[in-house]
Amino acid sequence: MADNSIRTDLFSPIKLGEIELANRIVMAPLTRGRTNEEGVPNDLNVTYYVQRTSAGLIISEATNISAQGRGYAMTPGIWTEDQVAGWKKITDAIHAVGGKIVMQLWHVGRCSHVDLQPNRDAPVAPSAIKADGNVYTNNGIAEASMPRALRTEEIPDIIEQYRHAAECAKRAGFDGVEIHSANNYLLEQFLRDSTNHRTDQYGGSIENRARLILEVVEAVTGVWGGGRVGIRLSPVTTEVGNTPLDSDVMATYGYLIQQLNKFKLAYLHFVEGTTQKNRDVPKNVDLEALRSLFDGAYIGNNNYDLELAISRRAEGKIDAVAFGRPFIANPDLVERLRYGLELAEATYDTHYGNGAKGYTDWPKANS
Ligand SMILES: Cc1cc2nc3c(=O)[nH]c(=O)nc-3n(C[C@H](O)[C@H](O)[C@H](O)COP(=O)(O)O)c2cc1C
């Protein structure tokens, strides 16, 4: 049988900050819509994550940091004690079989619907600009609601939501957290001038638009230390909400990444290209140049296959690779990649909801 570990060190250990991984293959965060209304993880979720423990690191599905941060039905949370207890079962089970898992901390900002918000309030955002896209409510797919702009005096509460969630994640036994600053959710809405039209200290200049992200990083690293905190960015994606790019991607993300260096984070994680769709990058953007501004480890993601991962690793362009969709239908993805075994493919209808079907019923290779 072929053994691809002869060709690449992707199957060898690496340390991301203080997190030791058995290999450089990471499971990308995947929302699967299999939790309950209260956002409490269940036994089916335990089974799902344990099945995928051969990943050097699992990044959890995006997890709501507060009731206000929620934009999709049946997604998990990390602000109540019941949620902490539910996640603890998952982290214990993963650690019992030698795996590692960090939690992705999520506030959707404008990508929500009044049906999902406390008191049917409007979702919050940097500015009152509606997302051009859909969210999942209990009544099915619906257009994102018109958001309201956060008042300046409400910003400390947003930072507190992240800090509290980071603390809850620590008590839930995670190996660290990933700050979800990608895919045009709240933090990226603040960063881009397409979604941030504020005139206070959180809008206008690049420094001002990056301020909330940096204050959140400061709060979260205050709980965890930098070596157990990663961050996900997606400089050139228009997903979700059909969101225009920043008018100066290189200057804006370049400034942010340079500022992140002072926190000595475990890793920087990029969605390279348009999330799920393609790896295209506009002519005036150089993702390699942005990545090289970061002092720590780098995880590349988006439409990778093994050959692309091997070549980019060989060129020193990535330290680790994150696979998303391939982990849905291939719980033993690392073994399949290592030994060149055939990969199963998950169709879109298995992605969200639907209980065990298309979730925990994918067999291992040859079983
Ligand atoms: C079903 C599904 C759910 C996803 N959920 C998340 C999520 O919770 N957080 C996130 O940052 N990205 C999420 N993504 C994006 C993936 O992490 C990843 O960036 C994308 O699928 C591209 O990687 P791939 O080509 O290896 O699938 C999701 C993608 C899919 C297909």
Side-chain angles (χ1 to χ4, degrees):
M1 197 190 285
D3 184 348
N4 285 316
S5 69
I6 297 161
R7 296 204 286 141
T8 176
D9 67 357
L10 284 172
F11 301 96
S12 307
I14 182 177
K15 212 167 165 196
L16 301 179
E18 288 168 26
I19 312 170
E20 288 182 33
L21 279 55
N23 59 66
R24 295 167 185 258
I25 296 182
V26 173
M27 178 171 154
L30 292 169
T31 293
R32 304 300 308 280
R34 262 82 168 189
T35 313
N36 62 11
E37 250 319 272
E38 285 71 48
V40 177
N42 53 49
D43 290 346
L44 196 61
N45 306 145
V46 176
T47 304
Y48 164 77
Y49 278 110
V50 169
Q51 285 172 340
R52 286 156 182 78
T53 308
S54 62
L57 179 68
I58 295 173
I59 303 171
S60 82
E61 63 207 276
T63 302
N64 306 303
I65 58 168
S66 65
Q68 181 198 65
R70 227 171 134 238
Y72 300 81
M74 311 299 269
T75 52
I78 188 70
W79 76 91
T80 72
E81 287 311 306
D82 285 350
Q83 292 163 350
V84 170
W87 278 113
K88 184 80 171 47
K89 286 190 198 161
I90 293 174
T91 60
D92 282 348
I94 287 174
H95 292 150
V97 289
K100 295 281 161 73
I101 181 168
V102 296
M103 166 169 277
Q104 193 186 44
L105 300 176
W106 195 25
H107 189 308
V108 299
R110 69 179 188 156
C111 299
S112 185
H113 190 276
V114 290
D115 283 357
L116 293 158
Q117 291 291 312
N119 312 313
R120 301 196 84 247
D121 288 342
V124 298
S127 302
I129 304 168
K130 195 170 156 317
D132 173 17
N134 293 326
V135 295
Y136 298 88
T137 73
N138 289 324
N139 305 316
I141 291 181
E143 245 185 62
S145 300
M146 183 68 191
R148 71 169 178 87
L150 279 161
R151 296 188 303 278
T152 309
E153 62 271 22
E154 291 178 291
I155 304 280
D157 178 58
I158 298 285
I159 298 163
E160 173 55 22
Q161 290 173 29
Y162 278 95
R163 195 203 58 76
H164 175 69
E167 224 168 43
C168 289
K170 201 168 190 186
R171 283 192 290 110
F174 281 87
D175 295 288
V177 291
E178 175 176 288
I179 296 170
H180 193 351
S181 190
N183 296 343
N184 296 299
Y185 292 113
L186 183 74
L187 295 179
E188 197 161 47
Q189 290 160 26
F190 267 84
L191 187 62
R192 291 188 184 187
D193 54 9
S194 59
T195 41
N196 182 343
H197 294 176
R198 300 177 73 87
T199 53
D200 65 358
Q201 67 267 39
Y202 292 94
S205 66
I206 292 173
E207 289 80 357
N208 282 356
R209 284 182 278 119
R211 189 180 309 282
L212 178 62
I213 299 177
L214 295 170
E215 289 178 352
V216 165
V217 173
E218 187 167 21
V220 171
T221 55
V223 173
W224 279 94
R228 290 190 176 272
V229 176
I231 189 162
R232 190 175 220 209
L233 305 179
S234 54
V236 296
T237 195
T238 48
E239 299 285 327
V240 298
N242 197 17
T243 308
L245 302 188
D246 187 76
S247 63
D248 192 343
V249 173
M250 294 305 288
T252 300
Y253 288 78
Y255 169 80
L256 172 65
I257 291 166
Q258 281 171 311
Q259 293 300 308
L260 288 172
N261 281 331
K262 65 173 178 251
F263 297 101
K264 303 203 175 344
L265 298 180
Y267 64 84
L268 172 68
H269 181 185
F270 267 7
V271 178
E272 300 163 348
T274 301
T275 316
Q276 291 189 50
K277 290 197 172 153
N278 59 57
R279 295 184 50 79
D280 300 347
V281 174
K283 280 201 180 60
N284 59 350
V285 176
D286 180 349
L287 289 185
E288 311 288 338
L290 286 179
R291 174 258 180 277
S292 69
L293 294 172
F294 188 67
D295 292 341
Y298 175 76
I299 304 176
N301 166 252
N302 200 27
N303 280 290
Y304 272 82
D305 60 14
L306 179 64
E307 291 312 317
L308 181 63
I310 289 178
S311 69
R312 284 179 56 80
R313 174 65 200 137
E315 292 164 8
K317 291 186 170 155
I318 56 172
D319 296 299
V321 58
F323 289 99
R325 286 162 292 179
F327 263 109
I328 294 178
N330 302 281
D332 53 345
L333 182 67
V334 176
E335 290 80 3
R336 292 199 204 202
L337 294 177
R338 177 163 174 177
Y339 297 111
L341 306 176
E342 203 177 320
L343 297 187
E345 258 191 54
T347 50
Y348 181 78
D349 59 305
T350 63
H351 284 187
Y352 306 104
N354 230 4
K357 196 165 173 317
Y359 185 56
T360 50
D361 58 357
W362 299 98
K364 285 186 175 182
N366 305 323
S367 65

Coordinates of all heavy atoms in Angstrom, one line a residue, residues 238-307:
T238 N -16.4 36.7 -0.6 CA -17.6 37.5 -0.5 C -18.7 36.8 0.2 O -19.8 37.3 0.4 CB -18.1 37.8 -1.9 OG1 -18.1 36.6 -2.7 CG2 -17.2 38.9 -2.6
E239 N -18.4 35.5 0.7 CA -19.3 34.7 1.5 C -19.1 35.1 2.9 O -18.0 35.4 3.4 CB -19.0 33.3 1.3 CG -19.1 32.7 -0.1 CD -20.5 32.5 -0.5 OE1 -21.3 32.2 0.3 OE2 -20.8 32.7 -1.7
V240 N -20.1 35.2 3.8 CA -21.5 35.0 3.4 C -22.1 36.4 3.2 O -21.5 37.4 3.5 CB -22.3 34.3 4.6 CG1 -21.8 32.9 4.8 CG2 -22.2 35.1 5.9
G241 N -23.4 36.5 2.8 CA -24.1 37.8 2.7 C -23.7 38.6 1.5 O -23.9 39.8 1.4
N242 N -23.0 37.9 0.5 CA -22.6 38.6 -0.7 C -22.0 39.9 -0.4 O -22.4 41.0 -0.9 CB -23.9 38.8 -1.6 CG -23.5 39.1 -3.0 OD1 -22.4 38.8 -3.5 ND2 -24.5 39.6 -3.8
T243 N -20.9 39.8 0.4 CA -20.3 41.0 1.0 C -19.1 41.5 0.2 O -18.2 40.8 0.0 CB -19.8 40.7 2.4 OG1 -20.9 40.1 3.2 CG2 -19.3 41.9 3.1
P244 N -19.2 42.8 -0.3 CA -18.1 43.3 -1.1 C -16.8 43.3 -0.2 O -16.8 43.4 1.0 CB -18.5 44.8 -1.3 CG -19.9 44.8 -1.2 CD -20.3 43.8 -0.1
L245 N -15.6 43.1 -1.0 CA -14.3 43.1 -0.3 C -14.0 44.5 0.3 O -14.7 45.5 -0.2 CB -13.2 42.7 -1.3 CG -13.4 41.4 -2.0 CD1 -12.1 41.1 -2.8 CD2 -13.6 40.3 -1.0
D246 N -13.1 44.6 1.1 CA -12.6 45.9 1.6 C -12.0 46.6 0.4 O -11.4 46.0 -0.5 CB -11.5 45.7 2.7 CG -11.1 47.0 3.3 OD1 -11.9 47.5 4.1 OD2 -10.0 47.5 3.0
S247 N -12.0 47.9 0.4 CA -11.5 48.7 -0.8 C -10.0 48.6 -0.9 O -9.4 48.9 -1.9 CB -11.9 50.1 -0.7 OG -11.4 50.8 0.4
D248 N -9.3 48.3 0.2 CA -7.8 48.1 0.2 C -7.4 46.9 1.0 O -7.0 47.0 2.2 CB -7.1 49.4 0.7 CG -5.6 49.4 0.3 OD1 -5.1 48.3 0.1 OD2 -5.0 50.4 0.4
V249 N -7.6 45.7 0.4 CA -7.4 44.5 1.2 C -6.0 44.4 1.8 O -5.8 44.1 2.9 CB -7.6 43.3 0.3 CG1 -7.3 42.0 1.0 CG2 -9.1 43.2 -0.2
M250 N -5.0 44.8 1.0 CA -3.6 44.6 1.4 C -3.3 45.5 2.6 O -2.7 45.1 3.6 CB -2.6 45.0 0.3 CG -2.7 44.0 -0.9 SD -2.4 42.2 -0.4 CE -0.7 42.2 0.0
A251 N -3.7 46.8 2.5 CA -3.5 47.7 3.6 C -4.2 47.3 4.9 O -3.7 47.3 6.0 CB -3.8 49.1 3.2
T252 N -5.5 46.9 4.7 CA -6.4 46.7 5.9 C -5.9 45.4 6.6 O -5.7 45.4 7.8 CB -7.8 46.6 5.4 OG1 -8.2 47.8 4.9 CG2 -8.8 46.3 6.6
Y253 N -5.8 44.3 5.8 CA -5.5 43.0 6.5 C -4.0 43.0 6.9 O -3.6 42.4 7.9 CB -5.8 41.8 5.6 CG -7.3 41.6 5.5 CD1 -8.1 42.4 4.7 CD2 -8.0 40.6 6.2 CE1 -9.5 42.3 4.6 CE2 -9.4 40.5 6.2 CZ -10.1 41.3 5.3 OH -11.5 41.1 5.3
G254 N -3.2 43.7 6.1 CA -1.8 43.9 6.4 C -1.6 44.5 7.8 O -0.8 44.0 8.7
Y255 N -2.3 45.6 8.0 CA -2.2 46.3 9.3 C -2.7 45.3 10.4 O -2.0 45.2 11.5 CB -3.1 47.5 9.3 CG -3.3 48.1 10.7 CD1 -2.3 48.9 11.3 CD2 -4.4 47.9 11.5 CE1 -2.4 49.5 12.5 CE2 -4.6 48.4 12.7 CZ -3.6 49.2 13.3 OH -3.7 49.7 14.5
L256 N -3.8 44.7 10.2 CA -4.4 43.8 11.2 C -3.4 42.7 11.6 O -3.1 42.4 12.8 CB -5.7 43.2 10.8 CG -6.3 42.1 11.7 CD1 -6.7 42.7 13.0 CD2 -7.5 41.4 11.0
I257 N -2.8 42.1 10.6 CA -1.9 40.9 10.8 C -0.7 41.4 11.6 O -0.2 40.7 12.5 CB -1.6 40.2 9.5 CG1 -2.8 39.5 9.0 CG2 -0.4 39.2 9.7 CD1 -2.8 39.1 7.5
Q258 N -0.1 42.5 11.2 CA 1.0 43.0 11.9 C 0.7 43.3 13.4 O 1.5 43.1 14.3 CB 1.6 44.3 11.2 CG 2.4 43.9 10.0 CD 2.8 45.1 9.2 OE1 1.9 45.9 8.9 NE2 4.1 45.2 8.9
Q259 N -0.5 43.8 13.6 CA -0.9 44.1 15.0 C -1.1 42.8 15.8 O -0.9 42.7 17.0 CB -2.2 44.9 15.1 CG -2.1 46.3 14.5 CD -1.0 47.1 15.3 OE1 -1.1 47.2 16.6 NE2 -0.1 47.7 14.6
L260 N -1.5 41.8 15.1 CA -1.8 40.5 15.8 C -0.5 39.9 16.3 O -0.5 39.1 17.3 CB -2.4 39.5 14.8 CG -3.9 39.8 14.5 CD1 -4.4 38.8 13.4 CD2 -4.8 39.6 15.7
N261 N 0.7 40.2 15.7 CA 1.9 39.6 16.1 C 2.2 39.8 17.5 O 2.9 39.0 18.2 CB 3.1 40.2 15.2 CG 3.1 39.5 13.9 OD1 2.7 38.3 13.7 ND2 3.6 40.2 12.9
K262 N 1.8 41.0 18.1 CA 2.2 41.2 19.5 C 1.5 40.3 20.5 O 1.9 40.2 21.6 CB 1.9 42.7 19.9 CG 0.5 43.2 19.9 CD 0.5 44.6 20.4 CE -0.8 45.2 20.5 NZ -1.1 46.3 19.5
F263 N 0.5 39.5 20.0 CA -0.2 38.6 20.9 C 0.4 37.2 20.9 O 0.0 36.3 21.6 CB -1.7 38.5 20.6 CG -2.4 39.8 20.8 CD1 -2.7 40.6 19.7 CD2 -2.8 40.2 22.0 CE1 -3.4 41.8 19.9 CE2 -3.4 41.5 22.2 CZ -3.7 42.3 21.2
K264 N 1.4 37.0 20.0 CA 2.0 35.7 19.8 C 1.0 34.5 19.8 O 1.1 33.6 20.6 CB 3.1 35.5 21.0 CG 4.1 36.6 21.1 CD 5.3 36.1 21.7 CE 6.5 37.1 21.8 NZ 6.4 38.3 20.9
L265 N 0.1 34.6 18.8 CA -0.9 33.6 18.7 C -0.4 32.3 18.2 O 0.6 32.2 17.6 CB -2.0 34.2 17.7 CG -2.7 35.5 18.1 CD1 -3.7 35.8 17.0 CD2 -3.4 35.4 19.4
A266 N -1.2 31.2 18.5 CA -0.9 29.9 18.1 C -0.8 29.7 16.6 O 0.0 29.0 16.1 CB -1.9 28.9 18.7
Y267 N -1.7 30.4 15.9 CA -1.7 30.3 14.4 C -2.6 31.4 13.8 O -3.5 31.9 14.4 CB -2.2 28.9 14.0 CG -3.6 28.5 14.3 CD1 -4.7 28.9 13.5 CD2 -3.9 27.8 15.5 CE1 -6.0 28.6 13.8 CE2 -5.2 27.5 15.8 CZ -6.3 27.9 14.9 OH -7.6 27.5 15.2
L268 N -2.3 31.6 12.5 CA -3.2 32.4 11.6 C -3.8 31.4 10.6 O -3.1 30.5 10.1 CB -2.3 33.4 10.9 CG -3.0 34.2 9.8 CD1 -4.1 35.1 10.4 CD2 -2.0 35.0 9.0
H269 N -5.1 31.5 10.4 CA -5.8 30.5 9.5 C -6.5 31.3 8.4 O -7.3 32.1 8.8 CB -6.8 29.7 10.4 CG -7.6 28.7 9.7 ND1 -8.6 28.0 10.4 CD2 -7.6 28.2 8.5 CE1 -9.2 27.2 9.5 NE2 -8.6 27.3 8.4
F270 N -6.1 31.1 7.2 CA -6.8 31.8 6.1 C -7.7 30.9 5.3 O -7.4 29.8 5.0 CB -5.7 32.2 5.0 CG -5.1 33.6 5.2 CD1 -5.4 34.4 6.3 CD2 -4.3 34.1 4.2 CE1 -4.8 35.7 6.4 CE2 -3.7 35.4 4.4 CZ -4.0 36.1 5.5
V271 N -8.8 31.5 4.9 CA -9.6 30.9 3.8 C -9.0 31.5 2.6 O -9.1 32.8 2.4 CB -11.1 31.3 4.0 CG1 -11.9 30.7 2.8 CG2 -11.7 30.8 5.3
E272 N -8.4 30.7 1.8 CA -7.7 31.3 0.6 C -8.7 31.3 -0.6 O -9.0 30.2 -1.1 CB -6.4 30.4 0.3 CG -5.4 30.4 1.4 CD -4.4 29.3 1.3 OE1 -4.6 28.3 0.5 OE2 -3.4 29.3 2.1
G273 N -9.1 32.4 -1.0 CA -10.1 32.5 -2.1 C -11.5 32.7 -1.6 O -11.7 33.3 -0.5
T274 N -12.5 32.4 -2.3 CA -13.9 32.5 -1.9 C -14.4 31.2 -1.3 O -14.3 30.2 -1.9 CB -14.8 32.9 -3.1 OG1 -14.3 34.1 -3.7 CG2 -16.2 33.1 -2.7
T275 N -14.8 31.3 0.0 CA -15.1 30.2 0.8 C -15.9 29.1 0.0 O -17.0 29.5 -0.5 CB -15.8 30.6 2.1 OG1 -15.2 31.7 2.6 CG2 -15.8 29.5 3.1
Q276 N -15.4 27.9 0.0 CA -16.1 26.8 -0.7 C -16.0 26.9 -2.2 O -15.9 25.9 -2.9 CB -17.5 26.6 -0.3 CG -17.7 26.1 1.2 CD -19.1 25.7 1.5 OE1 -19.7 24.9 0.7 NE2 -19.7 26.2 2.5
K277 N -16.1 28.1 -2.8 CA -16.3 28.2 -4.2 C -15.1 28.1 -5.1 O -15.1 27.3 -6.0 CB -17.0 29.6 -4.5 CG -18.4 29.6 -4.0 CD -19.2 30.7 -4.6 CE -20.7 30.6 -4.2 NZ -21.3 31.9 -4.2
N278 N -14.0 28.8 -4.8 CA -12.8 28.8 -5.6 C -11.6 29.4 -4.9 O -11.8 29.9 -3.8 CB -13.1 29.6 -6.9 CG -13.4 31.0 -6.6 OD1 -12.6 31.7 -6.0 ND2 -14.6 31.5 -7.1
R279 N -10.4 29.2 -5.5 CA -9.2 29.8 -4.9 C -8.8 31.0 -5.6 O -7.6 31.5 -5.4 CB -8.1 28.7 -4.9 CG -8.4 27.4 -4.1 CD -7.3 26.4 -4.1 NE -6.0 27.0 -3.8 CZ -5.6 27.3 -2.5 NH1 -6.4 27.1 -1.5 NH2 -4.4 27.8 -2.3
D280 N -9.7 31.7 -6.3 CA -9.3 32.9 -7.1 C -9.0 34.0 -6.1 O -9.7 34.2 -5.1 CB -10.5 33.3 -8.0 CG -10.8 32.2 -9.0 OD1 -10.0 31.3 -9.1 OD2 -11.8 32.3 -9.6
V281 N -8.0 34.8 -6.5 CA -7.7 36.0 -5.7 C -7.6 37.2 -6.6 O -6.9 37.1 -7.7 CB -6.3 35.8 -5.0 CG1 -5.8 37.0 -4.3 CG2 -6.4 34.6 -4.0
P282 N -8.2 38.3 -6.3 CA -8.1 39.5 -7.2 C -6.6 39.9 -7.5 O -5.7 39.7 -6.6 CB -8.8 40.6 -6.4 CG -9.6 40.0 -5.4 CD -8.9 38.6 -5.1
K283 N -6.4 40.5 -8.6 CA -5.0 40.8 -9.1 C -4.3 41.7 -8.1 O -3.1 41.6 -7.9 CB -5.1 41.5 -10.4 CG -5.2 40.6 -11.6 CD -4.8 41.2 -12.9 CE -4.9 40.2 -14.0 NZ -6.4 39.8 -14.2
N284 N -5.0 42.6 -7.4 CA -4.3 43.6 -6.5 C -4.1 43.0 -5.1 O -3.8 43.7 -4.2 CB -5.1 44.9 -6.4 CG -6.5 44.7 -6.0 OD1 -7.0 43.5 -5.8 ND2 -7.2 45.8 -5.7
V285 N -4.4 41.7 -4.9 CA -4.2 41.1 -3.6 C -3.2 40.0 -3.7 O -3.2 39.2 -4.6 CB -5.5 40.5 -3.1 CG1 -5.3 39.8 -1.7 CG2 -6.6 41.6 -2.9
D286 N -2.3 39.9 -2.7 CA -1.2 38.9 -2.6 C -1.3 38.2 -1.3 O -0.8 38.7 -0.3 CB 0.1 39.6 -2.9 CG 1.3 38.6 -2.8 OD1 1.0 37.4 -2.4 OD2 2.4 38.9 -3.2
L287 N -2.0 37.1 -1.2 CA -2.2 36.4 0.0 C -0.9 35.9 0.7 O -0.8 35.9 1.9 CB -3.2 35.2 -0.1 CG -4.7 35.5 -0.4 CD1 -5.5 34.3 -0.4 CD2 -5.2 36.5 0.6
E288 N 0.0 35.5 -0.2 CA 1.3 35.1 0.3 C 2.0 36.2 1.1 O 2.6 36.1 2.1 CB 2.3 34.6 -0.8 CG 1.7 33.7 -1.8 CD 1.5 32.3 -1.2 OE1 2.1 32.0 -0.2 OE2 0.6 31.6 -1.8
A289 N 1.9 37.4 0.5 CA 2.5 38.6 1.1 C 1.9 38.9 2.5 O 2.5 39.2 3.5 CB 2.5 39.8 0.2
L290 N 0.6 38.8 2.5 CA -0.1 39.0 3.8 C 0.3 38.0 4.8 O 0.6 38.3 6.0 CB -1.7 38.9 3.6 CG -2.3 40.1 2.9 CD1 -3.8 39.9 2.8 CD2 -2.1 41.4 3.7
R291 N 0.3 36.7 4.4 CA 0.6 35.6 5.3 C 2.0 35.8 5.9 O 2.3 35.5 7.0 CB 0.5 34.3 4.5 CG 0.9 33.0 5.2 CD 2.3 32.6 4.7 NE 2.8 31.4 5.4 CZ 3.4 31.3 6.6 NH1 3.5 32.4 7.2 NH2 3.8 30.2 7.1
S292 N 2.9 36.3 5.0 CA 4.3 36.4 5.4 C 4.5 37.5 6.5 O 5.6 37.6 7.1 CB 5.3 36.6 4.2 OG 5.0 37.9 3.7
L293 N 3.5 38.4 6.6 CA 3.6 39.4 7.7 C 3.4 38.8 9.1 O 3.7 39.4 10.1 CB 2.5 40.5 7.5 CG 2.6 41.3 6.2 CD1 1.4 42.2 6.1 CD2 3.9 42.2 6.3
F294 N 2.9 37.6 9.1 CA 2.6 37.0 10.4 C 3.8 36.2 10.9 O 4.4 35.4 10.2 CB 1.4 36.0 10.2 CG 0.9 35.4 11.5 CD1 0.3 36.3 12.5 CD2 1.0 34.1 11.8 CE1 -0.2 35.8 13.7 CE2 0.5 33.6 13.0 CZ -0.1 34.4 14.0
D295 N 4.1 36.4 12.2 CA 5.3 35.7 12.8 C 5.1 34.3 13.1 O 6.1 33.5 13.3 CB 5.7 36.5 14.0 CG 6.3 37.9 13.7 OD1 6.6 38.1 12.6 OD2 6.3 38.7 14.7
G296 N 3.9 33.8 13.3 CA 3.7 32.4 13.8 C 3.3 31.5 12.7 O 3.5 31.7 11.5
A297 N 2.7 30.4 13.2 CA 2.3 29.3 12.3 C 1.1 29.6 11.4 O 0.2 30.5 11.8 CB 2.0 28.0 13.1
Y298 N 1.0 29.0 10.2 CA 0.0 29.4 9.3 C -0.8 28.1 8.8 O -0.2 27.1 8.4 CB 0.6 30.1 8.1 CG -0.4 30.3 6.9 CD1 -1.3 31.4 7.0 CD2 -0.4 29.5 5.8 CE1 -2.2 31.6 6.0 CE2 -1.4 29.8 4.8 CZ -2.3 30.8 4.9 OH -3.2 31.1 3.9
I299 N -2.1 28.2 8.9 CA -3.0 27.1 8.3 C -3.6 27.6 7.1 O -4.3 28.6 7.1 CB -4.0 26.7 9.4 CG1 -3.4 26.3 10.7 CG2 -4.9 25.5 8.8 CD1 -4.5 25.9 11.8
G300 N -3.5 26.8 6.0 CA -4.1 27.2 4.7 C -5.4 26.3 4.6 O -5.4 25.2 5.0
N301 N -6.4 26.9 4.0 CA -7.7 26.2 3.8 C -8.3 26.7 2.5 O -8.1 27.8 2.0 CB -8.6 26.4 4.9 CG -10.1 26.0 4.6 OD1 -11.0 26.9 4.4 ND2 -10.3 24.7 4.5
N302 N -9.2 25.9 2.0 CA -10.2 26.2 0.9 C -9.8 25.5 -0.4 O -8.8 25.8 -1.0 CB -10.3 27.7 0.6 CG -11.6 28.0 -0.1 OD1 -12.6 27.3 0.0 ND2 -11.6 29.1 -0.9
N303 N -10.6 24.5 -0.7 CA -10.5 23.7 -1.9 C -9.1 23.1 -2.1 O -8.6 23.0 -3.2 CB -10.8 24.6 -3.1 CG -12.3 24.7 -3.3 OD1 -12.9 23.7 -3.7 ND2 -12.8 25.9 -3.0
Y304 N -8.5 22.6 -1.0 CA -7.3 21.8 -1.1 C -7.6 20.4 -1.4 O -8.6 19.8 -1.0 CB -6.6 21.8 0.3 CG -5.6 23.0 0.5 CD1 -6.1 24.2 0.9 CD2 -4.2 22.9 0.2 CE1 -5.2 25.3 1.1 CE2 -3.4 23.9 0.4 CZ -3.9 25.1 0.9 OH -3.0 26.2 1.1
D305 N -6.7 19.7 -2.1 CA -6.7 18.3 -2.2 C -5.3 17.9 -1.7 O -4.4 18.8 -1.4 CB -7.0 17.7 -3.5 CG -6.1 18.1 -4.6 OD1 -5.0 18.7 -4.3 OD2 -6.4 17.9 -5.8
L306 N -5.0 16.6 -1.6 CA -3.7 16.2 -1.0 C -2.5 16.8 -1.8 O -1.6 17.2 -1.2 CB -3.6 14.7 -0.9 CG -2.3 14.2 -0.3 CD1 -2.1 14.6 1.1 CD2 -2.2 12.6 -0.4
E307 N -2.7 16.7 -3.1 CA -1.5 17.1 -4.0 C -1.2 18.6 -3.8 O 0.0 19.0 -3.7 CB -1.8 16.8 -5.5 CG -1.8 15.3 -5.8 CD -0.6 14.5 -5.2 OE1 0.6 15.0 -5.2 OE2 -0.8 13.4 -4.6

